Amino acid sequence: MNHFVSTGDFTRADLTRLLESARSLRHRAPRTDLAGKSVGLVFFNPSLRTRVSMEIAVTSLGGHAVAMDVGANVWPMEWLEGLRMEGAAAEHVKDAANVLSKYCDAIAIRSFPDGKDWKEDRLDPVLRAFVKHAKVPVINMESALWHPLQALADILTVADEVKGDPAGHKITLTWCTHPKALPLAVPNSLALAATQFGMDLTIACPVEYELPEEVMSTLNANVKSGGGSVRVVHDQDAGVEGAEFVYAKSWGSLRTYGRASEGMRDRTRYRDWRVTEERMARTANGRFMHCLPIRRNVVADDAVIDSPTALVYTQAANRLVVQKAVLLKLLGNTK
Ligand code: CP
């Protein structure tokens, strides 16, 4: 089965072809590649960009998108197997995935982590349950571990900005403070894709916020096999020094995972981890990136987000064309 779960399931050549396809889909009249085809969009969590851009991507390729909000306009769902379902969930993912496979040609899933136990969340249980039971391609619209559509849009943004190959260009993924412990999917996927494309990646974060060991191992393996570099620094000023791209994102700590009040103490300690004009002045005329939504003047200052260096709306725009390319790859007649 041809799923789209993580960029890590694809080679650099595959991903480069997807980016080329995405570029070719800009400024095009509506198409009919997906005529007669339906895509189910299953949201366990809120979304603005992903929801709207996926609906429009499917429609503009001639298909039909059906968006579902789990627990709101479709039944609350359980994904663990073998349970006596006496809780809030009225439907099992096993049944939902099988039924949606009868109606839809692909099923796209947004499922954030539960946020209580990393040992469970690292298995990406909701997405994996859909992959296990669906009879049609599954598209990851952000799971506990990965946000591949965002990462691909981000790499397209970088590639367009450098007018060529991202390899060897310097990107800093910087942790920023936030009132909540956010999921790791965006930083994991951005770091993964940056190393898949041979970029020089710096991850700037407090020591408690290092990415999962298994992700770091994959980044190092990518660097070994495909070039580029990866380093981790625990000082935000040093981390952004000389960067061509500063990618701001907050994420929760694995050290305090599921322990909200301890995590909050940490994040209060690091409340000056914020992208400011002063920090951007340390970069090599760096461009500011964020996947959005962003908490203004917490993660980054208005002056940075609203400055001409910011690429945040270009990143969001690129979601649409990248998703069209992925849909065409999975469901179109041309591969
Ligand atoms: N960047 C992103 O995935 O945005 P939404 O959460 O609004 O979909």
Side-chain angles (χ1 to χ4, degrees):
M1 183 79 69
N2 214 359
H3 300 299
F4 191 79
V5 165
S6 163
T7 59
D9 300 332
F10 299 89
T11 64
R12 191 190 298 192
D14 292 332
L15 298 175
T16 301
R17 276 193 291 278
L18 273 174
L19 297 187
E20 283 162 8
S21 169
R23 283 194 190 96
S24 78
L25 289 159
R26 283 184 179 136
H27 314 302
R28 286 278 186 93
R31 298 170 56 131
T32 55
D33 307 70
L34 301 191
K37 294 189 174 168
S38 297
V39 180
L41 310 176
V42 182
F43 287 92
F44 285 79
N45 312 95
S47 163
L48 186 151
R49 280 140 291 272
T50 305
R51 184 189 191 110
V52 175
S53 59
M54 278 298 279
E55 286 198 24
I56 292 172
V58 174
T59 306
S60 66
L61 292 172
H64 179 64
V66 184
M68 290 156 269
D69 295 305
V70 175
N73 64 6
V74 298
W75 302 111
M77 290 184 205
E78 177 59 66
W79 51 90
L80 296 176
E81 299 205 2
L83 287 184
R84 196 178 160 98
M85 287 174 53
E86 291 183 311
E91 173 123 38
H92 201 281
V93 166
K94 183 176 190 173
D95 303 316
N98 271 285
V99 170
L100 290 173
S101 298
K102 301 283 184 198
Y103 306 143
C104 303
D105 299 279
I107 306 171
I109 309 295
R110 164 160 288 201
S111 61
F112 291 174
D114 205 22
K116 295 191 184 106
D117 184 349
W118 174 243
K119 282 209 269 315
E120 285 177 18
D121 286 344
R122 68 188 282 278
L123 301 176
D124 233 345
V126 181
L127 183 74
R128 290 292 162 194
F130 271 96
V131 166
K132 179 175 175 187
H133 296 295
K135 306 294 183 286
V136 295
V138 171
I139 300 171
N140 183 356
M141 298 192 294
E142 187 174 345
S143 67
L145 288 189
W146 307 115
H147 197 354
L149 298 170
Q150 181 66 53
L152 212 47
D154 296 335
I155 295 294
L156 178 59
T157 306
V158 167
D160 286 350
E161 204 52 38
V162 301
K163 298 184 173 44
D165 190 350
H169 287 279
K170 291 181 174 30
I171 187 164
T172 295
L173 168 64
T174 179
W175 182 88
C176 290
T177 193
H178 197 280
K180 288 184 176 169
L182 296 184
L184 286 128
V186 168
N188 284 348
S189 276
L190 186 277
L192 177 68
T195 56
Q196 284 184 281
F197 278 88
M199 296 189 75
D200 287 330
L201 170 68
T202 296
I203 302 169
C205 60
V207 67
E208 297 88 347
Y209 289 82
E210 289 187 5
L211 295 183
E213 267 175 32
E214 57 264 45
V215 173
M216 289 307 300
S217 300
T218 306
L219 305 186
N220 285 311
N222 287 345
V223 166
K224 204 167 168 191
S225 64
S229 62
V230 61
R231 67 178 182 133
V232 178
V233 299
H234 299 127
D235 179 293
Q236 197 176 29
D237 286 335
V240 300
E241 198 82 48
E244 296 169 79
F245 298 92
V246 173
Y247 198 113
K249 186 73 185 82
S250 188
W251 60 89
S253 167
L254 296 185
R255 295 200 193 180
T256 54
Y257 204 83
R259 300 197 302 279
S261 53
E262 278 178 68
M264 179 56 81
R265 272 203 299 277
D266 256 4
R267 289 192 300 280
T268 305
R269 200 143 50 93
Y270 296 124
R271 55 182 293 129
D272 62 334
W273 279 69
R274 188 175 91 252
V275 181
T276 60
E277 282 186 298
E278 292 71 29
R279 287 204 164 109
M280 289 304 292
R282 293 173 171 270
T283 68
N285 292 317
R287 308 302 306 268
F288 175 77
M289 300 179 74
H290 190 281
C291 61
L292 304 181
I294 189 167
R295 292 207 181 216
R296 284 172 172 261
N297 305 309
V298 175
V299 170
D301 286 355
D302 281 336
V304 174
I305 304 167
D306 297 332
S307 81
T309 75
L311 294 170
V312 294
Y313 302 140
T314 306
Q315 291 170 258
N318 282 337
R319 290 289 304 274
L320 181 60
V321 288
V322 155
Q323 288 157 196
K324 285 189 198 180
V326 169
L327 288 162
L328 277 184
K329 180 176 168 59
L330 297 180
L331 299 179
N333 292 324
T334 50
K335 296 279 171 183

